[in-house]
Amino acid sequence: MDPKPSGAALLLAPAARGGAAARLPPAEPPRARFPAVDEHLVAPEVTRDELIRGRKVVAAPALEPHAEQQVRLDFLIAPHLQPGYIGAADLITRVNEGSDFATDLSIRKAGLDPATGRRYLEELSFEIVNEQSMHDVREKAEDLVARGVRRVFAIFVKRDGVAEWSAAEGRFVPLAPDAMIEDPCLVRPVPVRALLDGAAAEREVVRALERKGNPEIEAIKARERQAALDEGRRAGLDEGQRAVLLRQLRARFGDVPEARREQVLAASGERLAGWAERILTATTLDELFEG
């Protein structure tokens, strides 16, 4: 909620019966006030302009490395969102009096904030850095965190690395390739490596959909379970049919040579059924197996 202006730090009240004025304790120091997140200084979807601390910046269309990374980022993060959260690409946010800009991907609560009647402020933001000025990227991160965005990440395309902004250190802190991004907004941790590698991103998307109980994933798993049961049932029937056929061969022809026994054990269910029919008319093993 946007804070209200603080009152005066000192109030004097008349004392009872002409006594000295009563001194009230000083009020809390005033907190920063922010404009609403969707009261813009630039015209969304009309201009390509952004404002960073009053400085106009042109948000240019992306080159291939940035554009391709954008697709991978959106593809990976969207399935990882917890129910009740929503992702947005290039969502412009009024960050403070002089800053009105968008990050490449942001995550916020769905719906409207009852305290403001407007959309929620994003909780996580991701910025893809390719040709963008590091000065601009740092100022964006500082302003976002000051506004209340919990976490700000940067994907450095040319370095092939990911970092998270640290307000305490005043810089982007690199994340190890095998690190995991864990957050209440996400149904499961996102591996840093998956932000940079398409094949890893695909694996993580499947795992996220499975964690969320996606109906299509569940249907695939159900079909696989049924196929395994059917296969086991067929294998059991075939095994029983092999045992019966070997007993019939011994009863009809005496000891069964090892080669013929191995032939029975390796046979398909269809072949076993054929032998079971011919055993009634065959006069020798050779006639049975070669007929």
Side-chain angles (χ1 to χ4, degrees):
M1 180 176 68
D2 291 338
K4 301 291 189 296
S6 300
L10 183 66
L11 293 177
L12 297 178
R17 299 177 182 174
R23 185 177 295 271
L24 298 179
E28 294 182 1
R31 294 179 291 172
R33 292 191 68 231
F34 295 104
V37 294
D38 51 3
E39 288 183 357
H40 298 301
L41 295 169
V42 296
E45 301 190 35
V46 175
T47 69
R48 296 289 298 178
D49 298 333
E50 295 182 335
L51 284 174
I52 304 176
R53 299 181 182 179
R55 185 176 70 260
K56 181 179 176 180
V57 177
V58 177
L63 293 171
E64 296 98 324
H66 183 124
E68 292 162 6
Q69 177 62 62
Q70 179 78 61
V71 171
R72 182 160 53 245
L73 174 64
D74 296 346
F75 169 76
L76 173 64
I77 296 300
H80 278 82
L81 298 179
Q82 284 276 15
Y85 282 89
I86 189 168
D90 298 320
L91 177 65
I92 190 165
T93 293
R94 182 73 180 278
V95 181
N96 56 39
E97 291 297 335
S99 294
D100 190 16
F101 55 78
T103 51
D104 289 292
L105 178 68
S106 59
I107 302 172
R108 70 183 192 278
K109 288 181 180 178
L112 298 178
D113 184 345
T116 64
R118 301 174 184 266
R119 70 168 173 85
Y120 285 95
L121 176 70
E122 48 263 53
E123 297 187 25
L124 273 64
S125 286
F126 293 82
E127 187 78 358
I128 299 171
V129 184
N130 186 40
E131 298 294 331
Q132 191 175 175
S133 158
M134 272 305 302
H135 179 264
D136 291 347
V137 177
R138 284 193 296 270
E139 287 193 344
K140 280 185 172 184
E142 290 172 346
D143 286 358
L144 287 167
V145 171
R147 177 70 206 247
V149 177
R150 290 194 292 103
R151 304 178 75 178
V152 178
F153 298 90
I155 301 173
F156 295 99
V157 177
K158 293 179 179 178
R159 301 182 204 169
D160 198 32
V162 180
E164 182 173 0
W165 178 257
S166 168
E169 298 185 32
R171 68 184 182 96
F172 280 101
V173 177
L175 301 178
D178 59 351
M180 307 289 283
I181 296 174
E182 299 185 53
D183 195 89
C185 294
L186 307 172
V187 295
R188 62 187 302 274
V190 175
V192 169
R193 184 175 287 104
L195 291 166
L196 304 168
D197 179 79
E202 289 181 354
R203 291 193 297 271
E204 297 307 317
V205 165
V206 173
R207 291 166 180 164
L209 292 174
E210 182 181 19
R211 176 67 62 86
K212 294 170 81 170
N214 178 271
E216 287 302 315
I217 297 291
E218 292 303 311
I220 291 171
K221 290 164 63 177
R223 288 196 295 270
E224 290 178 346
R225 288 193 296 268
Q226 187 59 51
L229 287 173
D230 292 344
E231 180 63 27
R233 191 174 295 113
R234 285 193 298 270
L237 291 172
D238 290 349
E239 191 63 28
Q241 194 170 3
R242 290 186 184 96
V244 170
L245 181 60
L246 287 172
R247 286 198 299 270
Q248 289 175 327
L249 291 175
R250 284 193 294 271
R252 183 79 186 277
F253 303 108
D255 290 339
V256 179
E258 185 63 24
R260 294 302 188 189
R261 183 176 179 279
E262 292 296 329
Q263 195 173 351
V264 170
L265 295 177
S268 66
E270 185 179 357
R271 177 63 61 86
L272 292 169
W275 288 336
E277 291 180 3
R278 289 205 300 273
I279 198 172
L280 300 175
T281 57
T283 57
T284 66
L285 278 174
D286 291 340
E287 181 183 349
L288 171 67
F289 284 98
E290 297 172 7

